[in-house]
Amino acid sequence: MIYRPRCASDALSQPGIRALLLLLVLVSLYSVYGSLYFYRDPLSIFFSEEHGFDRFYSATRQAEADEFLDEFLDAAIANPDSTTWQLGKAGPDPLICAVFITVGRDMVGRQYIDSAVGSFLANMSWAERDAMHLKLFFADVPNPDKQHKSYAKFAAANIVDEIFTYNSTLPATQKESKIRELTLFAKDRTNKHALERKTVFDYAYALDRCVQTTDAPYIALFEGDILLADGWAAKTLMNLHTIEQMMKDPRRRDPEKGEIAPGRPNTWLYLRLFNQERSFGWSGGPGFRSNNVHIISVAVAVPLLIILLIARRQLPRHLARHLDGWTLLVVCGIAVPLFIWLFYASGKAALLGSPAGVHEEWFGCCNQALVYNREHAKGLVDYMMTASKRESPGRSDMLPKQFAWDHGLARISAYPMLAQHAGRVSAIDTSNDEAKRVWSMAFEDFKPYRLANEHLRNLLELFGNGVAEQMRRERFVGYI
C-alpha cells in the first residue's frame, strides 16, 4: 500500500473541521463588531481605555451651552435688565426648584458651573423657564467670592433666581462658628470623613434652601459639573407627570421600611437624571464561571445535543453524516458555552441598553442630577443634617438611598438619561482617572436634531401650540 499524506482538502472534507472553522469565522466577525460598537461600555471585554470616554453629544452640547451663556452673561453684566425679555425668571408658582451646588476648582479655563448653567438654560422656552426656579449655591468657605472664579460674573448678571452662600444665608448666631467648622472640614484632606461631613451638609443645606424659600412640588439638586441635554426641562416635566400617574395605581400600598419592590410603594423619593453604565451591568463580571455561565451552558448544551442526536437518526444519510461526533463536540461543547460567555462578557449596557421610559430602580450611581419629591424633602434634610454631625457620616449619594429604604420610598430612573457628568477635575480629591469614569455612554448617543424635535413635541403637549411655535421660530432664526 502506498501512503498518501492528508492534504488541506481532506481536512476540509471533515464535518468537524468545517464546523470549527465556521465557529472561528463567526467569533472573529463578532469580535470586530464588538470592538466597533461595544468599546464604550466599561464592563465589556471590548472596552477601550483610549476611546471609551470619547465625547460626542456632550461636546456639541457644551459648545452650545458655552456660546449661549457667554452671549447672555456679557449682555446681562452690561445691562442687567436687557435679558429679561429673552430669558425671564421663574414665575410665582414654579414646578421645580433647581439648585446647582458648586465649589471652585483648580483648573485652567472656565469653571464647570459655567457650562452647567448654560446647558440648563440653552434652548429653554419662556414657559419652561417660568416653571423653573433656578438657584446657584456657591458652597466655598470662608470666602466664595474669592475662592470661586465664576462667582463674580454670576453675581453681576441677572439670569438666575437666587445666588446664595453660607455667608449670605446662615443665621447670624450660627454663621461664624459654622463657617469655621466647615472650613476645617474642607481643609482636612487627610481625613476623608471630614470632607464627607462638609459635602453631606452642603447637599442638605441646598435642599433645605428650596424647601424654605419656594413651594415648588419638586426640587432638583444638580452638581456643578454636569451637562443637561437639549429639552431636558420639558422631558423631565413629562416624566414627573408619568410618575404621579404611576403612584395612583390602586395596587400600590403605603410605604413600609424595606418594601421598595417595583410596583409596591405609593410614593417616591427621587427621579434620577444621571446614571452610569457601571451601575447596571451583569453582577458576576466577565469570568466564565461568573453569572453561572457554566451552568447555563450545560442547561443549553445537553438538550441541544439530544435534539441533534435525534435529528441525525431521522435525517437521510447524506445529511446525517454532517452531524458526526466531532461536529457535535464543536457545537455543544465549544460553541454553546463560548456564545453564552460572549453574551455576558460583551456588556449588558452595550448589548441590551436600557429601555426608554420611567422605571423604578433601587440601584444607580451618584447624585449628579436628582429631582426630589417635596413631600419627603424636609425629612431627608433632617436625616442628612443629623448624619453630618457624625464622625463618619456616610456619602452624600448613599444617604438618600438609605433614607428611601428606611421609609419604603420608590427610587425612579428615567431613560434615556438627560444629564452627563463632565467633570474631570474633582472637588473632593477623587482621582482624575476615577472622576472620568463617572460617565454615561448613552448620553453620548443623543442626536441634536432628534432632541430638538422631541423638545418641540413635549412643549406642544405641555404648554400648547403657541409655545411650541415660538420655540420653532427661535430655533429657525438662530436665537438660541
Side-chain angles (χ1 to χ4, degrees), residues 243 246-269 360 362 376 404-405 407-412:
I243 294 172
M246 287 170 54
M247 294 299 121
K248 293 178 181 179
D249 189 329
R251 292 171 295 182
R252 293 180 177 272
R253 290 174 285 173
D254 291 338
E256 296 180 29
K257 181 177 180 178
E259 298 294 330
I260 58 171
R264 168 62 173 80
N266 64 4
T267 186
W268 58 284
L269 179 60
E360 290 178 70
W362 55 79
H376 307 292
W405 171 271
H407 294 80
L409 306 176
R411 290 174 282 169
I412 300 174

Side-chain angles (χ1 to χ4, degrees), residues 3-25:
Y3 173 74
R4 183 171 63 88
R6 288 184 178 271
C7 61
S9 60
D10 293 331
L12 290 176
S13 68
Q14 301 299 313
I17 297 295
R18 293 200 300 270
L20 183 60
L21 290 175
L22 177 60
L23 175 61
L24 291 174
V25 169

Side-chain angles (χ1 to χ4, degrees), residues 157-205:
N158 188 32
I159 64 171
V160 301
D161 296 288
E162 184 189 22
I163 292 176
F164 68 99
T165 67
Y166 285 119
N167 288 317
S168 67
T169 54
L170 278 171
T173 55
Q174 303 175 14
K175 182 185 300 185
E176 184 177 348
S177 60
K178 193 63 184 179
I179 290 178
R180 187 186 306 113
E181 178 186 48
L182 293 173
T183 302
L184 290 174
F185 291 159
K187 287 182 176 179
D188 189 1
R189 297 293 180 172
T190 62
N191 182 354
K192 72 171 186 176
H193 295 311
L195 192 57
E196 285 174 349
R197 294 179 69 178
K198 168 72 163 56
T199 57
V200 168
F201 188 84
D202 290 348
Y203 202 83
Y205 196 81

Side-chain angles (χ1 to χ4, degrees), residues 69-70 73 77 110-111 114 149-157:
L69 192 70
D70 288 344
L73 270 181
I77 293 172
R110 69 172 71 239
Q111 295 282 298
D114 299 4
K149 297 176 183 178
S150 294
Y151 179 87
K153 60 184 173 184
F154 279 112

Side-chain angles (χ1 to χ4, degrees), residues 40-153:
R40 290 187 292 132
D41 185 347
L43 299 182
S44 170
I45 58 170
F46 300 107
F47 174 69
S48 168
E49 283 286 349
E50 182 178 1
H51 297 292
F53 303 105
D54 286 351
R55 301 179 65 193
F56 296 98
Y57 176 67
S58 65
T60 300
R61 184 58 173 168
Q62 181 170 348
E64 185 176 42
D66 291 346
E67 181 182 5
F68 175 91
L69 192 70
D70 288 344
E71 176 185 350
F72 286 101
L73 270 181
D74 290 344
I77 293 172
N79 183 356
D81 295 326
S82 66
T83 58
T84 301
W85 66 276
Q86 292 171 310
L87 290 177
K89 293 290 186 71
D93 299 305
L95 295 174
I96 296 178
C97 176
V99 187
F100 280 96
I101 307 171
T102 179
V103 295
R105 306 194 190 203
D106 184 13
M107 55 190 294
V108 177
R110 69 172 71 239
Q111 295 282 298
Y112 292 127
I113 188 62
D114 299 4
S115 301
V117 173
S119 69
F120 181 98
L121 294 169
N123 297 339
M124 181 176 277
S125 69
W126 65 266
E128 292 168 286
R129 186 66 182 93
D130 186 74
M132 303 285 158
H133 182 98
L134 174 59
K135 298 178 183 290
L136 299 186
F137 176 29
F138 288 87
D140 301 88
V141 285
N143 298 307
D145 54 331
K146 297 178 180 178
Q147 294 172 255
H148 203 302
K149 297 176 183 178
S150 294
Y151 179 87
K153 60 184 173 184

